[in-house]
Amino acid sequence: MEPADPPGTDPADRAPREHQLSRRSNAPSVSPWLLIGVILLLGAAIYVASALF
């Protein structure tokens, strides 16, 4: 296991794998807009189903 970056060091000196992990951890796993879209799509499907039956 590699030690953490000492204060004042350049992040470019990090290992490529560690850079990839830090880049991915900045983004949320699910976009809020995707979640809102799914909820709206479900609401539309329920509305259509209730109109048909």
Side-chain angles (χ1 to χ4, degrees):
M1 183 169 198
E2 295 179 11
D5 289 338
T9 58
D10 188 10
D13 296 336
R14 289 191 226 160
R17 182 177 179 274
E18 185 178 341
H19 175 68
Q20 289 292 328
L21 289 174
S22 68
R23 184 179 58 85
R24 280 187 278 156
S25 64
N26 290 337
S29 58
V30 176
S31 168
W33 289 111
L34 179 64
L35 189 61
I36 290 170
V38 167
I39 291 171
L40 288 175
L41 210 69
L42 282 173
I46 292 171
Y47 176 77
V48 169
S50 66
L52 293 175
F53 299 111

